[in-house]
Amino acid sequence: MLRYKTTILVALLAGACIASAQTTKKAAAAPAKPAAKPAAAAKPGAASAKPGAAGARPGAAARPGAAGTAARPGGSTAGRPGAATTGARTGAPAAGGRPGATAGGAKPAARTPAGSKTAHAANGSSVRTRANGSRADVHDAKRGMDVHHGLNGSRRVSVEHADHSRVVAERGGRGYVQHPYGYHGHEYGHRTYYEHGRAYDRFYRGYSYHGAYVEMYSPSFYYGPAFYGWAYNPWAVPIAYPVAAWGWGATPWFGFYGGFFTPYPVYATPSLWLTDYLVSQSLAASYQAAADAQAQGQGQVQDQAPAPDAAPLSAAVKDQIAAEVQRQIALENSEAQASTTGAEQDPASSGIQRMLTDNVQHVFVVGKDLDLVDAAGNECAVSEGDALQLTGPAGANADAATLAVLASKGKKECPKGDTVSVAFADLQDMQNHMRETIDAGLGELQAKGGKGGLPAVPPSAAAPPKKAAFAMDAPPPDPAAATQINQSWGEADKAEQEVAGQVTPDAGQSAAPAPPPAPEAPPVNVDLGQTIDQVTAALGQPKSIVNLGTKKIYVFKDMKVTFKDGKVSDVQ
């Protein structure tokens, strides 16, 4: 953690030098020193009541949530394909899930909604219905398939294969195919996303947190410190970047969400510009998915429109998002500099673990439709572009985080100020969405610098990004991703019919009574050649670690596992 703080401080000081070199007068503001915790960067725009006003400087005032925020704390997606798995993943189940369940699939909420009932079949399949009798979740044990029916009429299909490859299909024909692969003793997932006729890939590092297997976005490219410094610090002069420059005027999503999202009038910092980029990409993706679904007879676009009871993205909420954008830029700069020495991402600092323990009320922009449960046990939805904020650190034995709603589109969505429970895997997905989209926005800033009113990128910051080593070692994108996504969507219809006929209608049990005793856990196997991540996912964290250089001995309660070059070489 000390190295993380020091790296950020060095990066910000370097950024200040870059900013001063751009102008003959004193810089409008020097970068703030990081607070005691690396993520506690102050919100942009705090120096002025007007978002984006001149003189706004990151770090000049209190952290997000201090002034002008709600009383209660409260676009592109990513993916990748890959290669053969490096070993079985067993052990503690994900929050609310089954052993081996991973992020990205259709999972039960962190809390079970009041009044819901689950009926089981002899083969392990199940159907969960809501209090009104509507179907919420279907698990097909035979196919390894989960189907979730959203409150907003959406459907999400997830298939987990024996080799831990995964197919996820969503409304409108979008989704991804993921294949795992090992690199330096860690498990990565390579996804191929398919959306609106376009395929692209992303990478994720898997790790275990509080018994849940979660997947953290891993940038496949890193910029140089000069570019991150330029992207972090205020511009010398605030810029006007109208809707025409953004190119939104003729797009249907912009008018559709006009009452929910209003761009900043001017931009004093790149983080403000990136905030509008992040929100716009999220809303555009949501609208396109609804339009594609409507074209396929899967609902109406109008069903996704903001309602009269919507809580729009206010200037105060957007300032809080902008502060979070700054933190993520500083985090990525730290990762980029560490990568030059061969170091890989550390989930303890790059994932949600840090965000849940650094005493900062981090803000998240939702990247996919989710059904959540609030403190009263009521089920409500959030969708792409909504904003949530952590209310405090997660407990030592928690399997989910508590967040407050800052902005939502109304109707069946969680109202502003409501506190909701978000499973750790879904919370990591939200951070992933923000980082992925910020990365895309950084690429736009570098490519469009000096055009349309954007400040020019200084020569020292204009170098193209360099590819990360783990990405160079990855398998190629999956050319059959679109076919697999469509096949899974169609197969889900058959699966739902079969499972509905297998479950016992009167075997449903309310969520209120205590759950039945858990079945005896199956034996956990540790095999030669497995990675450290695979073993800790199965056995949990060790009692102690003996570090002998390339050889490490993990001491667990009932066994000792020896790793050589990151893979199991002996078990005692």
Side-chain angles (χ1 to χ4, degrees):
M1 183 64 76
L2 178 61
R3 184 176 69 181
Y4 176 81
K5 298 176 188 174
T6 305
T7 304
I8 292 179
L9 179 58
V10 172
L12 302 189
L13 292 174
C17 296
I18 298 166
S20 63
Q22 289 181 265
T23 176
T24 57
K25 58 185 178 181
K26 288 185 178 181
K33 293 182 180 179
K37 299 288 184 178
K43 83 177 178 182
S48 172
K50 182 178 180 181
R57 47 187 283 255
R63 71 182 183 187
T69 60
R72 290 179 77 175
S76 22
T77 39
R80 60 210 101 210
T85 181
T86 53
R89 183 192 307 132
T90 58
R98 302 173 307 286
T102 58
K107 303 174 294 298
R111 293 190 192 128
T112 303
S116 69
K117 296 182 178 181
T118 303
H120 299 275
N123 68 350
S125 298
S126 62
V127 176
R128 183 177 74 86
T129 55
R130 297 186 170 93
N132 63 5
S134 64
R135 186 177 295 171
D137 294 291
V138 175
H139 170 61
D140 184 345
K142 182 180 72 175
R143 294 178 174 87
M145 176 180 286
D146 289 281
V147 182
H148 177 72
H149 293 270
L151 288 171
N152 64 357
S154 63
R155 185 173 76 160
R156 182 179 176 89
V157 179
S158 177
V159 183
E160 187 87 7
H161 296 296
D163 65 352
H164 299 296
S165 62
R166 183 189 316 141
V167 181
V168 172
E170 298 178 292
R171 61 191 173 112
R174 66 176 180 172
Y176 68 82
V177 175
Q178 173 169 311
H179 297 277
Y181 72 101
Y183 181 78
H184 286 185
H186 302 297
E187 184 172 302
Y188 284 85
H190 185 195
R191 294 182 194 169
T192 301
Y193 275 91
Y194 185 80
E195 181 177 1
H196 196 52
R198 181 175 70 95
Y200 55 95
D201 63 345
R202 298 287 186 273
F203 296 85
Y204 301 84
R205 161 85 181 272
Y207 68 99
S208 179
Y209 183 67
H210 281 224
Y213 185 81
V214 298
E215 295 173 313
M216 171 184 68
Y217 168 66
S218 298
S220 56
F221 293 90
Y222 284 119
Y223 294 92
F227 179 73
Y228 288 119
W230 179 79
Y232 182 93
N233 285 283
W235 284 321
V237 178
I239 65 161
Y241 198 76
V243 171
W246 283 108
W248 297 337
T251 59
W253 74 265
F254 185 61
F256 190 77
Y257 291 113
F260 181 75
F261 165 64
T262 303
Y264 282 114
V266 293
Y267 301 96
T269 68
S271 61
L272 298 177
W273 189 93
L274 287 166
T275 294
D276 276 352
Y277 181 88
L278 167 63
V279 174
S280 67
Q281 290 290 300
S282 303
L283 295 177
S286 180
Y287 180 89
Q288 188 60 60
D292 292 342
Q294 177 174 294
Q296 297 172 12
Q298 303 167 8
Q300 299 294 315
V301 173
Q302 197 58 37
D303 294 338
Q304 315 301 319
D309 60 337
L313 285 160
S314 66
V317 170
K318 286 178 59 182
D319 282 353
Q320 290 175 278
I321 297 172
E324 193 62 54
V325 169
Q326 262 196 328
R327 296 185 190 106
Q328 299 303 320
I329 293 172
L331 170 63
E332 186 158 314
N333 177 56
S334 174
E335 293 175 355
Q337 296 199 40
S339 71
T340 62
T341 65
E344 297 176 63
Q345 273 185 313
D346 180 2
S349 62
S350 294
I352 57 171
Q353 178 175 337
R354 174 185 56 81
M355 302 179 81
L356 289 167
T357 55
D358 64 3
N359 296 318
V360 174
Q361 291 175 313
H362 291 278
V363 177
F364 298 82
V365 174
V366 178
K368 68 179 181 183
D369 295 341
L370 282 176
D371 292 336
L372 305 174
V373 181
D374 66 16
N378 300 314
E379 193 174 21
C380 58
V382 292
S383 63
E384 289 170 286
D386 290 350
L388 307 178
Q389 184 178 38
L390 283 173
T391 60
N397 298 316
D399 62 0
T402 301
L403 292 90
V405 179
L406 295 180
S408 78
K409 305 179 189 69
K411 287 191 286 192
K412 295 183 179 180
E413 291 204 350
C414 309
K416 180 180 179 179
D418 202 6
T419 55
V420 292
S421 179
V422 180
F424 291 141
D426 290 325
L427 190 67
Q428 183 64 72
D429 283 348
M430 289 186 196
Q431 188 206 13
N432 292 345
H433 166 70
M434 292 184 67
R435 291 200 61 183
E436 292 159 13
T437 313
I438 291 168
D439 272 0
L442 289 171
E444 290 279 302
L445 272 179
Q446 191 181 62
K448 295 180 178 179
K451 304 172 186 175
L454 286 175
V457 179
S460 60
K466 295 182 179 180
K467 195 166 187 176
F470 74 86
M472 292 189 284
D473 199 50
D478 193 329
T483 299
Q484 295 178 68
I485 291 167
N486 291 330
Q487 286 177 344
S488 296
W489 188 265
E491 188 72 9
D493 296 333
K494 186 187 301 182
E496 291 202 63
Q497 292 178 1
E498 291 180 4
V499 173
Q502 294 168 354
V503 298
T504 305
D506 60 352
Q509 51 191 11
S510 172
E520 184 178 347
V524 176
N525 296 322
V526 176
D527 299 321
L528 295 178
Q530 285 187 313
T531 65
I532 293 174
D533 284 348
Q534 290 169 331
V535 173
T536 55
L539 300 177
Q541 294 303 312
K543 294 168 58 179
S544 61
I545 300 175
V546 180
N547 194 337
L548 303 174
T550 60
K551 183 178 177 181
K552 292 181 174 63
I553 301 175
Y554 278 43
V555 181
F556 296 93
K557 179 181 178 182
D558 299 316
M559 69 176 71
K560 289 195 302 184
V561 182
T562 301
F563 297 91
K564 187 173 182 181
D565 296 326
K567 295 189 177 182
V568 176
S569 61
D570 185 43
V571 179
Q572 298 178 358

